[in-house]
Amino acid sequence: MQFNGRTVAVFALGGTIATSSDPATGGVVPALSCEELLESVPGLRSLGVALRIHEFRQVPSASLTLDDLNALHSAIKEELDSEAVDGVVVVQGTDTIEETSFHLDLLHRSDAPIVFTGAMRSPTLPGPDGPANLYAAVLAAAGPWLRGAGCVVVLGDEVHPARTVQKSHTVSTAAFSSPGSGPLGLVAEGRVRLNRPLPLRNVLPAGQEMPVVARTARVALHTVTIGDDGTQLDLLEGHYEGLVLAALGGGHVPERLVPRLHRLTEHIPVVLCSRIANGPVLTRTYSYPGSERDLISHGLIPAGDLNPYKARLLLHRLLATGCTERAQIARVFAAFAP
């Protein structure tokens, strides 16, 4: 398929896809420019897509900050508001791609798709996957198939919504999945083949899509384990503005943690998630001390099927934009529930 007359903005942030060997250490470090990356992609020019290149950052994705992501959102919005581009590709490391794509998906209001991609194998290894992923991402961003889909992740020719995508393997080129739903689509034969209609999207309420620069918010993430004595929870009070609790199973904790959690809810919002990578946190099944019904009755806010990392990003954004009332926060999280 030809895309003559279509324009895609490409924002490069670094990551494995842009690495080369460091002679001093023998390891790989981000080094390649966005233009060098695009030049390495066979057949890309034959698509006929005009590319607007932005050398945005050159860092491992673990070193990206929320300030970086807010700046990226502003830069992408400026491009889309100019109506000079039809879609956007973001190239970055895969370590945090499920979080960065979700963060921008909360803020992105245009119908133009934002396609995140990267690589699991560096260009220094046999069979690097970066060029194929970049080709698929540009094709997906230029075409009509993903308009209205918000932010998606394209790796290994699979298309995953930012809402559901998770990195599920440390080294495999098939590292990304969408537990419970599967990929949204497949890039094949020069097009995106959708497996189902585009999912309904949730974005933040008006007024919370842009950061409040003067306000900071610290949100802790605590994962509950067997034998957890709650000492870490005691250390949070007075130091954090919010907490995401990655609970056992469908949303359960040892009974001895309940008084500590109840005390925390009197001062900060506490969001209840499951530490399991698949399925929603329950709300009305179990009723023993430490169960999800017990915790919700003590003020915890259920996060639906959001995993703890994405729930933390949503809570952070709400707090950073001045949404601090428990009832307000609960309404937003309820909107994200399946």
Side-chain angles (χ1 to χ4, degrees), residues 1-334:
M1 182 173 180
Q2 288 290 310
F3 296 92
N4 295 321
R6 308 288 284 180
T7 301
V8 170
V10 182
F11 290 80
L13 277 65
T16 295
I17 194 171
T19 55
S20 63
S21 294
D22 182 350
T25 65
V28 293
V29 294
L32 302 178
S33 70
C34 185
E35 192 160 349
E36 288 173 316
L37 288 177
L38 294 168
E39 286 294 329
S40 73
V41 181
L44 186 60
R45 290 186 182 277
S46 66
L47 288 177
V49 179
L51 300 175
R52 292 166 63 95
I53 298 172
H54 299 265
E55 302 282 359
F56 191 76
R57 297 287 188 273
Q58 183 66 284
V59 296
S61 67
S63 293
L64 290 170
T65 67
L66 293 179
D67 286 339
D68 289 329
L69 300 187
N70 291 334
L72 177 62
H73 165 62
S74 296
I76 290 174
K77 186 175 185 299
E78 184 176 345
E79 277 278 41
L80 295 176
D81 286 347
S82 72
E83 299 185 352
V85 301
D86 301 288
V88 174
V89 170
V90 177
V91 186
Q92 67 158 90
T94 60
D95 281 355
T96 59
I97 203 168
E98 65 182 90
E99 292 173 86
T100 57
S101 61
F102 180 73
H103 183 87
L104 262 72
D105 196 50
L106 292 175
L107 312 177
H108 179 51
R109 294 179 178 273
S110 168
D111 282 339
I114 301 178
V115 181
F116 286 75
T117 195
M120 293 299 296
R121 287 187 185 143
S122 80
T124 65
L125 296 175
D129 56 326
N133 289 337
L134 256 177
Y135 181 91
V138 171
L139 184 153
W145 312 282
L146 296 174
R147 290 196 64 80
C151 295
V152 299
V153 172
V154 172
L155 281 106
D157 288 334
E158 291 186 336
V159 182
H160 294 273
R163 164 70 183 272
T164 57
V165 69
Q166 295 186 21
K167 187 173 184 178
S168 54
H169 200 282
T170 57
V171 295
S172 171
T173 54
F176 286 85
S177 63
S178 288
S181 62
L184 174 63
L186 178 72
V187 181
E189 297 184 325
R191 56 169 293 191
V192 174
R193 299 171 179 267
L194 293 174
N195 297 329
R196 59 183 184 276
L198 297 182
L200 294 175
R201 291 186 60 222
N202 296 96
V203 296
L204 287 177
Q208 288 163 341
E209 70 274 16
M210 297 300 290
V212 177
V213 177
R215 184 177 179 86
T216 59
R218 289 163 298 187
V219 178
L221 171 58
H222 179 81
T223 301
V224 179
T225 58
I226 190 168
D228 192 336
D229 65 2
T231 300
Q232 287 183 326
L233 294 173
D234 291 338
L235 301 175
L236 300 179
E237 197 167 342
H239 298 286
Y240 288 87
E241 285 72 49
L243 167 65
V244 170
L245 187 76
L248 302 165
H252 310 143
V253 304
E255 182 178 354
R256 60 182 167 275
L257 298 191
V258 176
R260 290 178 166 91
L261 292 168
H262 186 199
R263 186 167 62 249
L264 282 170
T265 64
E266 295 175 345
H267 304 284
I268 61 174
V270 180
V271 172
L272 177 65
C273 297
S274 172
R275 69 178 196 178
I276 299 172
N278 195 354
V281 67
L282 301 175
T283 58
R284 52 190 179 88
T285 299
Y286 296 94
S287 58
Y288 56 80
S291 68
E292 81 281 355
R293 292 181 68 158
D294 184 41
L295 294 174
I296 293 169
S297 74
H298 282 92
L300 276 71
I301 299 167
D305 64 352
L306 289 179
N307 71 26
Y309 314 113
K310 295 178 182 182
R312 178 184 170 274
L313 288 170
L314 177 54
L315 179 58
H316 183 279
R317 170 56 54 155
L318 292 173
L319 295 174
T321 52
C323 179
T324 58
E325 294 295 325
R326 183 195 178 280
Q328 290 179 292
I329 294 169
R331 281 195 294 272
V332 174
F333 272 94

